[in-house]
């Protein structure tokens, strides 16, 4: 037997004879209440993440009229938060390794609070932009720290559910934001200040709570603070099976330290080490496709999308946006229930399949609205000589941000319609003509900016609800859950920072371009693009995502010892890992050759 084969057999025997983690015994016992308290205060970071990204959907409808925001400024106010989050998420890996998980969560909640105060007091759009950037810095740190912290303090059989609770709180924050948006949409002026400023309350609650919570035992062990690690683990587990689990974690970390590549920059060491390199590709790919499937376009612009789909009243659009957020929250609960029953891989595959179908429904809804868009019947003389009067239909008119559609309605019939320039001071009325001085009189014509009257708005709403129902249980939660599991401890902070950075970078790309893509490709064209990207994501997950359900964190790395995108091989390796008893199960020469062939991937 050659030395390489003998090493493989020894590794299999070592894994088989490794002391149990206590998980099997712990499955029958209910976890201590303190574990849920810890998960709750941790996941408040997710709530803030959801609230601050979701609240802008309704606030934008008020801001664009009150501050007369152009499409570019709307996209800046949305994407500036996301861009700042991308930068702080990338830097969060170093902060986590240096300060620890607990200190980073405290820092994130402090930054949240400062950002909320700035936004609520902003006198103009520039200061508001500063507040949005500040909040983004807190979101980025929290988004990569909270899942790691929860994963490291959770027992293996509860880890999937507890990490998914963070995603549940994200959707809960988005739902709370939409309800707050609806409540303050009736404030005649300045309602957006309350919408944006209320994020201070949960941020302060999390900061106070984490003053009394322990650090991650794994991080403490990594830093050589073994006594503190034992005390922290004992507190989290309620004193049950602490010695056995502590010894298992310490032994696993010592083995990891021996197997890990030498010193140097952690990211370079990850690229040099095959299993972590493959894990990083899978983790970053999941985060990329989560965003490219259009989720934050739907969440940031849900009220705007509903208006685009023909919902005329601002308040009604905001409350319907709250309904979409409620759907997102409820179906994230379904994900929490399913994650340990069907596994990460199958849940993600089913989610992406349904997401692609529902994006198609959305695109078809917008196509029907465009296909049967009312035509312009009046072409009044234009003193400004704008291009608005050249558009022959409402669809073409509202795709131009400088124009709006002025019309009268009799039941479902549209008549006396024209395309005229938007007002300089506010998008809420035309620059001149019949719709320049809007009143509540029923005989007044209707001014439509950014939407067209249509009988197909129900198709758009149905598509939105189906999209969230399919997206939330799987793609909404699994990228964060899987990324918290697939890296060894020495690479966990950096791996999560990189994947979160990819998530936020793609988030910037999608949110910063959506309104412009809609203008150039039409609304239905934009959603057909997202459909195609969701299909690519489905192929990626089908080929590359292994199942991590039920494995201790220290054993997940073994799933990535084989070729990059061969989940069948990964599953096989996982099975062999727990069944090797003697040399008869050693890898064959053919398998050795396969491994050599994949050494460069």
């Amino acid at each position: 037997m050659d030395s390489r084969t003998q090493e493989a057999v020894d590794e299999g025997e070592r894994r088989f004879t490794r002391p149990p983690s206590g998980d099997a015994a712990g499955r029958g016992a209910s976890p201590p209440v303190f574990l849920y308290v810890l998960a709750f205060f941790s996941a408040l970071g997710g709530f803030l993440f959801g609230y601050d990204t979701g609240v802008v959907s309704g606030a934008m409808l008020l801001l664009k009229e009150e501050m007369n925001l152009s499409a570019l400024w709307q996209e800046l106010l949305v994407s500036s938060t996301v861009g700042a989050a991308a930068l702080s998420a990338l830097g969060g890996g170093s902060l986590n390794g240096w300060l620890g998980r607990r200190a980073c969560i405290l820092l994130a909640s402090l930054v949240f609070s400062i950002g909320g105060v700035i936004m609520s007091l902003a006198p103009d759009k520039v200061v508001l932009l500063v507040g949005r950037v500040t909040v983004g810095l807190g979101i980025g740190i929290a988004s990569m720290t909270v899942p790691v912290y929860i994963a490291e303090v959770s027992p293996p059989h509860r880890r999937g559910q507890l990490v998914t609770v963070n995603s549940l709180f994200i959707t809960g924050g988005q739902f709370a934001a939409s309800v707050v948006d609806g409540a303050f949409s009736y404030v005649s002026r300045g309602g957006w200040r309350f919408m944006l400023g209320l994020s201070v309350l949960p941020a302060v609650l999390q900061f106070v709570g984490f003053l009394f919570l322990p650090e991650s035992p794994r991080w403490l062990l990594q830093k050589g603070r073994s006594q503190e690690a034992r005390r922290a683990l004992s507190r989290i587990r309620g004193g049950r099976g602490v010695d056995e689990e502590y010894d298992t974690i310490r032994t696993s970390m010592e083995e990891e330290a021996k197997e890990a590549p030498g010193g140097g920059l952690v990211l370079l060491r990850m690229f040099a080490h095959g299993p972590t390199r493959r894990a990083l590709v899978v983790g970053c790919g999941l985060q990329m496709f989560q965003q490219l499937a259009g989720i934050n376009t739907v969440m940031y612009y849900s009220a705007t999308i509903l208006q685009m789909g023909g919902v005329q009243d601002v308040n009604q659009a905001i409350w319907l946006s709250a309904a979409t957020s409620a759907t997102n929250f409820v179906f994230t609960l379904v994900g929490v229930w399913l994650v340990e029953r069907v596994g990460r891989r199958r849940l993600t595959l089913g989610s992406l399949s349904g997401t692609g179908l529902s994006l198609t429904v959305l695109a078809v809804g917008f196509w029907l609205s465009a296909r049967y868009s009312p035509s312009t019947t009046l072409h009044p003389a234009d003193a400004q000589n704008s291009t608005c009067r050249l558009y022959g239909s409402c669809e073409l008119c509202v795709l131009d941000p400088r124009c709006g559609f002025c019309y009268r309605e009799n039941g479902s019939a549209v008549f006396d319609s024209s395309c005229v320039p938007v007002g300089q001071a506010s998008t809420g009325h035309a620059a001149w003509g019949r719709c320049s001085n809007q009143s509540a009189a029923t005989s007044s014509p209707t001014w439509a900016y950014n939407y067209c009257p249509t009988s197909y708005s129900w198709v758009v709403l149905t598509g939105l609800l189906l999209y969230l129902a399919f997206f939330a249980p799987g793609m909404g939660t699994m990228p964060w859950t899987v990324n918290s599991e697939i890296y060894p401890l020495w690479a966990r902070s950096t791996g999560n920072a990189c994947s979160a950075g990819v998530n936020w970078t793609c988030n910037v790309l999608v949110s910063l371009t959506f309104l412009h893509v809609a203008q150039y490709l039409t609304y239905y064209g934009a959603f057909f693009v997202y459909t195609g990207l969701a299909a690519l994501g489905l192929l990626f997950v089908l080929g590359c995502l292994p199942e991590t359900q039920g494995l201790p964190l220290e054993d997940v790395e073994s799933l990535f010892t084989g070729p990059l995108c061969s989940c069948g091989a990964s599953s096989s390796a996982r099975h062999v890992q727990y069944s090797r008893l003697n040399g008869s199960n050693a890898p064959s020469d053919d398998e050795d050759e396969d491994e050599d062939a994949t050494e460069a991937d």
Side-chain angles (χ1 to χ4, degrees):
M1 184 184 298
D2 62 28
S3 60
R4 221 171 131 208
T5 303
Q6 182 60 51
E7 285 176 9
V9 173
D10 292 345
E11 172 63 14
E13 290 173 348
R14 188 162 61 246
R15 287 189 181 277
F16 185 84
T17 58
R18 178 185 293 171
S21 64
D23 183 43
R27 280 182 185 273
S30 60
V33 173
F34 184 75
L35 184 61
Y36 290 114
V37 172
L38 186 149
F40 169 80
F41 279 101
S42 303
L44 279 175
F47 182 89
L48 287 162
F49 172 1
Y51 185 90
D52 280 304
T53 54
V55 74
V56 72
S57 172
M60 192 58 66
L61 294 182
L62 305 182
L63 281 166
K64 71 183 181 184
E65 289 194 17
E66 191 168 320
M67 294 188 175
N68 195 25
L69 299 176
S70 64
L72 177 61
W73 263 99
Q74 290 179 59
E75 289 171 335
L76 276 175
L77 287 173
V78 170
S79 58
S80 59
T81 300
V82 183
L87 293 175
S88 63
L90 288 170
S94 300
L95 282 176
N96 266 258
W98 175 40
L99 299 175
R101 317 323 188 201
R102 176 175 173 269
C104 282
I105 293 174
L106 284 167
L107 176 63
S109 56
L110 179 63
V111 174
F112 274 131
S113 302
I114 295 170
V117 171
I118 293 173
M119 289 189 299
S120 65
L121 300 176
D124 54 44
K125 60 188 178 185
V126 175
V127 177
L128 182 60
L129 183 63
V130 172
R132 294 289 294 164
V133 168
T134 305
V135 163
L137 295 174
I139 288 175
I141 297 171
S143 68
M144 63 80 45
T145 305
V146 169
V148 171
Y149 180 77
I150 296 177
E152 289 185 346
V153 301
S154 302
H157 69 287
R158 298 276 180 182
R159 187 178 65 240
Q161 283 187 333
L162 290 174
V163 174
T164 307
V165 164
N166 181 57
S167 298
L168 177 68
F169 271 55
I170 293 174
T171 58
Q174 289 168 338
F175 174 57
S178 63
V179 172
V180 169
D181 283 349
F184 287 103
S185 66
Y186 299 98
V187 177
S188 58
R189 190 168 182 83
W192 57 269
R193 297 185 184 277
F194 297 98
M195 298 175 185
L196 299 173
L198 282 174
S199 61
V200 172
L201 298 180
V204 170
L205 178 61
Q206 184 185 45
F207 185 87
V208 172
F210 253 86
L211 292 175
F212 305 98
L213 294 176
E215 179 57 87
S216 162
R218 284 177 166 87
W219 182 83
L220 290 169
L221 267 174
Q222 186 185 35
K223 296 299 180 183
R225 294 155 63 176
S226 55
Q227 291 305 312
E228 291 178 62
R230 185 186 289 273
R231 286 196 298 271
L233 186 63
S234 178
R235 190 177 172 197
I236 293 166
R237 296 288 182 265
R240 300 184 208 158
V242 172
D243 291 338
E244 184 180 16
E245 184 175 0
Y246 175 83
D247 291 339
T248 301
I249 294 172
R250 187 180 62 182
T251 302
S252 298
M253 289 177 60
E254 289 171 354
E255 289 180 9
E256 266 185 21
K258 293 175 185 175
E259 295 170 2
L265 191 66
V266 175
L267 186 59
L268 296 179
R269 290 161 59 194
M270 290 180 72
F271 284 132
H273 186 52
T276 52
R277 182 175 65 248
R278 297 173 195 120
L280 187 63
V281 170
V282 171
C284 290
L286 277 175
Q287 296 284 28
M288 178 181 73
F289 282 112
Q290 183 195 63
Q291 293 304 316
L292 295 185
I295 178 58
N296 281 315
T297 291
V298 170
M299 296 315 299
Y300 297 155
Y301 296 109
S302 57
T304 301
I305 289 169
L306 287 165
Q307 270 202 321
M308 290 172 175
V311 177
Q312 300 177 15
D313 183 69
V314 169
N315 300 109
Q316 185 182 8
I318 289 175
W319 282 114
L320 285 174
S321 173
T324 63
S325 297
T327 303
N328 197 23
F329 176 72
V330 169
F331 281 92
T332 303
L333 271 174
V334 174
V336 173
W337 183 75
L338 286 175
V339 62
E340 297 295 355
R341 289 170 171 80
V342 304
R344 283 69 156 155
R345 177 177 160 82
R346 283 196 292 171
L347 190 56
T348 307
L349 286 170
S351 173
L352 265 172
S353 301
T355 295
L357 290 173
S358 52
L359 281 168
T360 304
V361 173
L362 259 173
V364 168
F366 280 114
W367 178 82
L368 287 170
S369 297
R371 176 70 178 79
Y372 299 101
S373 176
S375 59
T376 53
T377 58
L378 301 177
H379 299 277
D382 186 352
Q384 300 176 4
N385 199 27
S386 73
T387 57
C388 299
R389 60 189 176 85
L390 302 178
Y391 297 124
S393 70
C394 179
E395 172 76 5
L396 296 174
C397 177
V398 300
L399 283 173
D400 188 334
R402 298 166 297 180
C403 306
F405 193 65
C406 182
Y407 68 96
R408 295 184 186 275
E409 197 169 21
N410 182 13
S412 60
V414 173
F415 63 98
D416 288 350
S417 56
S418 58
C419 184
V420 292
V422 69
Q424 293 293 321
S426 171
T427 59
H429 56 77
W432 49 264
R434 303 175 295 156
C435 288
S436 61
N437 186 18
Q438 293 287 279
S439 68
T442 55
S443 60
S444 297
T446 302
W447 171 249
Y449 179 74
N450 206 40
Y451 73 90
C452 287
T454 178
S455 56
Y456 295 103
S457 54
W458 65 271
V459 181
V460 175
L461 179 59
T462 301
L464 274 178
L465 295 177
L466 284 174
Y467 175 88
L468 293 169
F470 281 113
F471 188 94
M475 280 304 287
T477 57
M478 289 305 102
W480 301 104
T481 300
V482 170
N483 270 284
S484 71
E485 299 174 324
I486 59 177
Y487 308 108
L489 182 62
W490 63 268
R492 192 167 296 145
S493 294
T494 301
N496 274 274
C498 288
S499 64
V502 168
N503 181 291
W504 288 110
T505 301
C506 292
N507 193 328
V508 171
L509 176 67
V510 172
S511 60
L512 188 57
T513 59
F514 170 64
L515 293 179
H516 282 91
V517 169
Q519 287 171 18
Y520 289 107
L521 296 182
T522 71
Y523 302 138
Y524 61 85
F527 283 101
F528 275 129
V529 169
Y530 295 143
T531 302
L533 292 170
L536 289 176
L538 180 63
L539 294 176
F540 175 81
V541 171
L542 191 63
C544 300
L545 179 63
E547 182 55 72
T548 61
Q549 180 184 6
L551 283 176
L553 285 176
E554 288 71 28
D555 289 342
V556 173
E557 185 183 6
S558 63
L559 298 177
F560 297 94
T561 54
L564 176 59
C565 286
S566 56
C567 290
S570 295
S571 298
S572 173
R574 175 182 167 187
H575 173 72
V576 172
Q577 170 185 317
Y578 289 101
S579 60
R580 288 180 186 162
L581 294 172
N582 52 50
S584 63
N585 282 329
S588 67
D589 292 339
D590 289 341
E591 291 171 332
D592 285 347
E593 291 171 7
D594 290 342
E595 188 174 343
D596 288 335
T598 59
E599 199 67 36
D601 67 326

